[in-house]
Amino acid sequence: RRIIAAEFGEQVVLAPDNGVLELAEARFSGTMIVTDLSEAASKIHSSATFHGRDIFAPLAASIASGTSLESLGPKLPLREIVRTGINKPVWLADGVNATILHKDRFGNLVLNIPDTQTLPERMCIPEEQLLSGNDDGCVKRVCCYAELETGATGLLAGSQGYYELALNRGAASEMLGLEPGDDLTLKF
């Protein structure tokens, strides 16, 4: 895979060219300029498993210290970067259709809704999307996990910059029967 840098105004994001850049692109507005850093990365001695430490960190430090992207590699046409087709949330008059981006090891479900969006305090998951025998579908927006009662489902701004569904003392993924790539509707 290529190693790329994307410029969003004054901010630079380094990433493998595997589609993950779409998440950064969705959060920024304006023009994105992409540089191929693969040749510069190939000159850095690295292990086979710790590219974040061995490749990305030194490149980021070099760029932060003033090395120009132009000196590290050629520009890439946007049509040449890998895209996975990550869906954007679809806003409805009475809710939002979201897609599950990721499931963490606790069973929390990271949605494609940026945490910069304002959502109501209470939402509902339609009954047809709930597994039989699970909770009533009520979702409370909270600031932290501790604000949820045991067994309650909540929506909070996660560390990745997106809202996530969480179940206090349980796995939201198991309770809802959802996996990355699945769609979910939240009704307001």
Side-chain angles (χ1 to χ4, degrees), residues 71-110:
S71 69
L72 294 174
K75 299 288 182 231
L76 281 174
L78 294 181
R79 69 181 177 278
E80 289 187 18
I81 64 172
V82 173
R83 300 214 183 253
T84 59
I86 294 172
N87 296 331
K88 293 188 178 182
V90 177
W91 298 96
L92 311 168
D94 63 345
V96 60
N97 288 332
T99 300
I100 310 296
L101 295 175
H102 171 69
K103 174 177 76 173
D104 70 15
R105 66 187 179 109
F106 302 106
N108 299 322
L109 299 169
V110 179

Side-chain angles (χ1 to χ4, degrees), residues 124-147:
C124 291
I125 299 170
E127 190 174 321
E128 62 270 13
Q129 290 189 327
L130 295 172
L131 292 176
S132 60
N134 286 325
D135 77 15
D136 60 4
C138 291
V139 176
K140 180 181 176 186
R141 186 174 43 81
V142 295
C143 293
C144 63
Y145 299 108
E147 289 182 6

Side-chain angles (χ1 to χ4, degrees), residues 5-187:
E7 295 174 82
F8 300 97
E10 297 295 314
Q11 294 187 318
V12 176
V13 176
L14 301 183
D17 189 15
N18 63 4
V20 73
L21 191 59
E22 279 181 284
L23 294 171
E25 186 179 16
R27 294 195 52 84
F28 293 101
S29 60
T31 304
M32 177 174 73
I33 301 168
V34 178
T35 303
D36 186 351
L37 304 179
S38 299
E39 187 176 331
S42 70
K43 296 176 183 174
I44 300 171
H45 176 71
S46 68
S47 68
T49 55
F50 294 106
H51 288 178
R53 176 196 70 196
D54 297 342
I55 297 173
F56 287 94
L59 284 171
S62 179
I63 294 164
S65 298
T67 303
S68 71
L69 289 174
E70 293 78 26
S71 69
L72 294 174
K75 299 288 182 231
L76 281 174
L78 294 181
R79 69 181 177 278
E80 289 187 18
I81 64 172
V82 173
R83 300 214 183 253
T84 59
I86 294 172
N87 296 331
K88 293 188 178 182
V90 177
W91 298 96
L92 311 168
D94 63 345
V96 60
N97 288 332
T99 300
I100 310 296
L101 295 175
H102 171 69
K103 174 177 76 173
D104 70 15
R105 66 187 179 109
F106 302 106
N108 299 322
L109 299 169
V110 179
L111 305 177
N112 65 338
I113 305 172
D115 64 10
T116 54
Q117 289 288 325
T118 302
L119 294 175
E121 260 187 58
R122 295 204 178 274
M123 292 151 277
C124 291
I125 299 170
E127 190 174 321
E128 62 270 13
Q129 290 189 327
L130 295 172
L131 292 176
S132 60
N134 286 325
D135 77 15
D136 60 4
C138 291
V139 176
K140 180 181 176 186
R141 186 174 43 81
V142 295
C143 293
C144 63
Y145 299 108
E147 289 182 6
L148 289 171
E149 295 178 22
T150 300
T153 306
L155 189 72
L156 65 140
S159 61
Q160 298 174 25
Y162 292 89
Y163 281 105
E164 62 184 58
L165 274 174
L167 179 67
N168 191 353
R169 303 207 187 269
S173 60
E174 290 177 19
M175 190 265 308
L176 295 169
L178 294 171
E179 295 291 329
D182 290 344
D183 293 325
L184 171 75
T185 302
L186 294 172
K187 295 283 188 179

